[in-house]
């Protein structure tokens, strides 16, 4: 009996020793534990070390699978949020100045028209493929520009005017239109590039055209080919460079499930904003000149035809090539142009 009690006591003591050793092994080092206790006594509620670890960007442990899921807080996000404010502010100023400047110019100068001579022949300036490519790009681009501006400045500009309910509907509509219309540019940009690249080469005459830019607005244009230097600038800067940037960054933002990090999306968003504000300001000038700014310009893209007088005034070198049979564009056959050549002057006055 005594031997059984002695064995039991020895076993119990061994179990206590082993358990104590295991528990001791699971505890943090004495120095860390002591430091925590001392910090809580001296600075109650001080969780700075915890948040330094959280904001360090070092991944922790999580069962959720995905890019950066182990990183609880990405500190660079605060820098990104602060950078968006001046970018949006100055971008808005740029767009507003462009629109206000065009409105003032129209009030002072009015449309730049050409006195048409009745009975002149018509020239087919744009083929159907040219016009379809342009209109696909134009409609998509304007939808994206308008919805993008609503998302950027709607809270500050529209919300105080139209109220929360209407603005909420408008904001959701803008977001969905923007997200679903954007990928259309994947088709529109290459198509328009292919249709127009042949006549948008840069040469010495283009620099002379810019040197005589003031004559353009006074009605004394420097002779140009099918597209003048200003139109070539729109082609290369807005279409080829800025819109391509917008397409790439827009796809990064549109499809966050493709594996990009938060930093990549933040950079893409800032680049997307800067490129869009610059592009919208420049495109506003192009839209103005192509509609109410230059009489007959909208008709050229609507119907594909211009009059001899219009062609000679705005693109003399191209007109001379058409007359000499050197250009791909030709004089329209009788009855081909909408309304006939006899009504060209009348249509000019209403275009």
């Amino acid at each position: 009996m005594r031997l059984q009690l002695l064995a039991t006591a020895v076993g119990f003591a061994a179990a206590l020793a082993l358990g104590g050793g295991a528990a001791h092994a699971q505890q943090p080092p004495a120095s860390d534990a002591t430091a925590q206790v001392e910090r809580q006594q001296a600075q109650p509620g001080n969780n700075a070390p915890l948040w330094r670890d959280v904001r360090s960007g070092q991944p922790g442990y999580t069962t959720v699978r995905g890019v950066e899921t182990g990183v609880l807080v990405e500190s660079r996000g605060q820098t990104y949020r602060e950078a968006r404010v001046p970018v949006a502010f100055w971008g808005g100023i740029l767009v507003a100045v462009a629109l206000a400047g065009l409105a003032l110019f129209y009030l002072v100068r009015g449309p730049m028209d050409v006195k048409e001579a009745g009975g002149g022949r018509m020239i087919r300036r744009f083929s159907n493929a040219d016009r379809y490519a342009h209109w696909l790009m134009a409609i998509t681009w304007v939808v994206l520009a308008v919805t993008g501006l609503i998302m950027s400045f709607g809270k500050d500009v529209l919300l105080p005017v139209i109220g929360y309910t209407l603005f909420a509907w408008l904001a959701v509509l803008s977001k969905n239109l923007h997200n679903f219309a954007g990928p259309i540019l994947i088709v529109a940009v290459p198509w328009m590039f292919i249709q127009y690249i042949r006549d948008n080469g840069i040469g010495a005459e283009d620099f002379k055209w810019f040197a005589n830019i003031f004559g353009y607005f006074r009605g004394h244009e420097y002779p140009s080919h099918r597209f003048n230097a200003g139109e070539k600038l729109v082609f290369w800067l807005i279409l080829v460079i800025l819109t391509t940037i917008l397409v790439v960054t827009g796809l990064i933002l549109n499809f966050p499930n493709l594996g990009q990090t938060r930093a990549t999306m933040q950079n893409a968003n800032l680049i997307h904003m800067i490129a869009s504000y610059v592009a919208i300001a420049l495109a506003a000038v192009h839209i103005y000149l192509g509609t109410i700014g230059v009489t007959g310009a909208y008709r050229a893209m609507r119907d594909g035809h211009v009059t001899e007088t219009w062609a000679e005034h705005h693109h003399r070198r191209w007109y001379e090539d058409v007359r000499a049979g050197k250009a791909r564009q030709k004089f329209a056959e009788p009855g081909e142009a909408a309304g006939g050549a006899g009504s060209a002057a009348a249509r000019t006055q209403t275009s």
Side-chain angles (χ1 to χ4, degrees), residues 187-205:
V187 175
V189 172
W191 186 14
M192 191 164 179
F193 180 84
I194 292 171
Q195 289 296 133
Y196 289 87
I197 180 60
R198 184 170 179 175
D199 295 309
N200 275 283
I202 305 298
E205 293 297 315

Side-chain angles (χ1 to χ4, degrees), residues 137 184-194 239-240 243-244 247:
M137 170 63 69
I184 297 176
L185 294 179
I186 298 174
V187 175
V189 172
W191 186 14
M192 191 164 179
F193 180 84
I194 292 171
L239 175 72
V240 177
T243 303
T244 300
V247 170

Side-chain angles (χ1 to χ4, degrees), residues 11 28 59 66 111 139 141 146 175 214 237 239 247 280 288 314 326 351:
I139 294 172
W141 215 96
V146 172
K175 174 180 176 294
F214 292 107
L237 185 56
L239 175 72
V247 170
I280 290 172
Y288 166 79
H314 292 292
K326 298 178 181 179
S351 297

Side-chain angles (χ1 to χ4, degrees), residues 74-96:
E74 199 236 2
S75 300
R76 188 182 178 281
Q78 181 62 31
T79 304
Y80 157 73
R81 287 189 292 272
E82 293 175 354
R84 288 185 79 255
V85 176
V87 169
F89 175 80
W90 290 110
I93 292 295
L94 176 63
V95 174

Side-chain angles (χ1 to χ4, degrees), residues 116-127:
E116 296 280 3
R121 290 181 295 176
M122 303 293 290
I123 301 175
R124 186 170 179 80
R125 179 165 171 77
F126 296 112
S127 67

Side-chain angles (χ1 to χ4, degrees), residues 38-232:
E38 292 176 352
R39 183 172 60 254
Q40 289 300 326
Q41 291 177 350
Q43 301 174 337
N46 180 9
N47 295 317
L50 170 66
W51 287 106
R52 274 197 295 268
D53 292 339
V54 169
R55 297 176 65 89
S56 67
Q58 297 298 320
Y61 173 76
T62 179
T63 58
V64 179
R65 299 297 180 185
V67 179
E68 294 186 309
T69 52
V71 179
L72 182 61
V73 175
E74 199 236 2
S75 300
R76 188 182 178 281
Q78 181 62 31
T79 304
Y80 157 73
R81 287 189 292 272
E82 293 175 354
R84 288 185 79 255
V85 176
V87 169
F89 175 80
W90 290 110
I93 292 295
L94 176 63
V95 174
V97 168
L99 296 176
L102 291 172
L104 179 62
F105 181 82
Y106 183 79
L107 292 175
V108 175
R109 173 63 174 82
M112 294 181 285
D113 55 357
V114 179
K115 293 183 179 179
E116 296 280 3
R121 290 181 295 176
M122 303 293 290
I123 301 175
R124 186 170 179 80
R125 179 165 171 77
F126 296 112
S127 67
N128 289 339
D130 291 338
R131 294 188 296 115
Y132 297 156
H134 180 273
W135 282 116
L136 177 63
M137 170 63 69
I139 294 172
T140 305
W141 215 96
V142 170
V143 168
L144 292 171
V146 172
T147 55
L149 290 175
I150 291 174
M151 290 189 290
S152 291
F153 307 110
K155 283 187 177 180
D156 298 319
V157 178
L158 296 178
L159 180 59
V161 178
I162 64 178
Y164 285 93
T165 302
L166 182 56
F167 176 72
W169 282 96
L170 184 61
V172 172
L173 176 63
S174 297
K175 174 180 176 294
N176 288 320
L177 282 176
H178 202 87
N179 289 343
F180 284 99
I184 297 176
L185 294 179
I186 298 174
V187 175
V189 172
W191 186 14
M192 191 164 179
F193 180 84
I194 292 171
Q195 289 296 133
Y196 289 87
I197 180 60
R198 184 170 179 175
D199 295 309
N200 275 283
I202 305 298
E205 293 297 315
D206 296 308
F207 293 97
K208 294 179 182 178
W209 188 92
F210 272 117
N212 293 272
I213 186 67
F214 292 107
Y216 174 81
F217 296 106
R218 292 196 300 266
H220 304 288
E221 298 186 34
Y222 187 81
S224 64
H225 288 281
R226 189 184 180 201
F227 299 117
N228 60 42
E231 292 168 314
K232 293 179 180 180

Side-chain angles (χ1 to χ4, degrees), residues 233-267:
L233 178 66
V234 169
F235 177 84
W236 288 107
L237 185 56
I238 298 182
L239 175 72
V240 177
I241 298 177
L242 292 177
T243 303
T244 300
I245 292 173
L246 292 172
V247 170
V248 174
T249 55
L251 290 175
I252 293 174
L253 298 171
N254 228 10
F255 299 99
N257 54 335
L258 295 182
Q260 54 266 39
T261 64
R262 281 173 281 186
T264 299
M265 296 191 67
Q266 291 162 4
N267 292 332

